[in-house]
Amino acid sequence: MLTNALIVLVTVVLMEVFSIVAHKYVMHGFGWGWHKSHHEPRTGWFEKNDLYAVVFAGVAIALIWFGTRGAWPLQWIGAGMTAYGALYFIAHDGLVHQRWPFRYTPRSGYLKRLYQAHRMHHAVEGREGAVSFGFLYAPPVAKLKQDLHALHGGRLQRPPRQDGATARPDALAARDPAN
């Protein structure tokens, strides 16, 4: 049981590493066609970018299915992917983009740093020159500001505010008091 729990935990950590790489090189690369919707104003409940979650959920379901049919430890890897997906949903879709029916903007601690880091990711128009590609890991805000300045030299179309938030032009961001 301890080994299985460790596999789940390690999978969650490795999913964040995988997600950073996939976000930077796939979503902001050849997969921009789906991800672009996430960097534009959302008009409905869903955006094309949500297809990434569907694909990864399908992989997790398949791993759990094969694992429960004797291919150990695949079910535990699938469980770790599912746990990561739940954390992603809570942190990214809920906390940062507030796609929930209630609003919460963290005022201190790691959640505030996570919130600010991802809002700074959206400070850039388009797919080039973005910073902070993690969903659960957030680099220090001061470093992200330095990186943005180095990449853009003060030419941001939507510069981050002092608290790290940005002005993402969608209805949810407009209701965000930190924006």
Side-chain angles (χ1 to χ4, degrees):
M1 187 162 83
L2 187 57
T3 301
N4 295 337
L6 186 60
I7 291 169
V8 170
L9 183 61
V10 167
T11 300
V12 169
V13 171
L14 291 177
M15 281 300 300
E16 177 65 2
V17 173
F18 171 82
S19 294
I20 290 169
V21 172
H23 188 188
K24 186 171 186 175
Y25 297 106
V26 175
M27 294 175 188
H28 280 252
F30 66 87
W32 181 250
W34 285 3
H35 190 61
K36 180 180 179 184
S37 67
H38 183 63
H39 287 265
E40 297 175 335
R42 190 169 9 91
T43 56
W45 186 254
F46 294 103
E47 52 193 42
K48 202 171 193 179
N49 182 68
D50 294 334
L51 292 172
Y52 284 111
V54 172
V55 169
F56 293 128
V59 171
I61 290 167
L63 289 172
I64 292 169
W65 187 85
F66 284 114
T68 58
R69 278 149 185 80
W72 181 90
L74 295 184
Q75 72 268 32
W76 302 109
I77 295 170
M81 288 179 70
T82 302
Y84 181 84
L87 291 170
Y88 167 90
F89 176 74
I90 292 166
H92 180 264
D93 287 351
L95 178 70
V96 175
H97 292 292
Q98 300 187 351
R99 291 175 71 178
W100 296 348
F102 62 89
R103 306 284 178 251
Y104 171 72
T105 303
R107 302 288 178 213
S108 63
Y110 184 76
L111 291 180
K112 179 179 180 182
R113 183 169 127 184
L114 183 66
Y115 179 85
Q116 290 174 325
H118 196 73
R119 301 304 276 175
M120 291 175 78
H121 173 78
H122 285 275
V124 177
E125 292 284 341
R127 70 187 205 182
E128 301 295 327
V131 296
S132 188
F133 291 91
F135 297 113
L136 301 179
Y137 169 73
V141 172
K143 175 163 179 11
L144 294 175
K145 287 180 182 181
Q146 280 181 328
D147 292 348
L148 277 173
H149 184 69
L151 287 167
H152 300 280
R155 297 180 322 273
L156 288 178
Q157 293 180 13
R158 291 182 293 182
R161 295 178 358 169
Q162 286 301 103
D163 64 1
T166 63
R168 182 175 176 205
D170 62 15
L172 294 175
R175 290 193 298 254
D176 180 354
N179 230 354

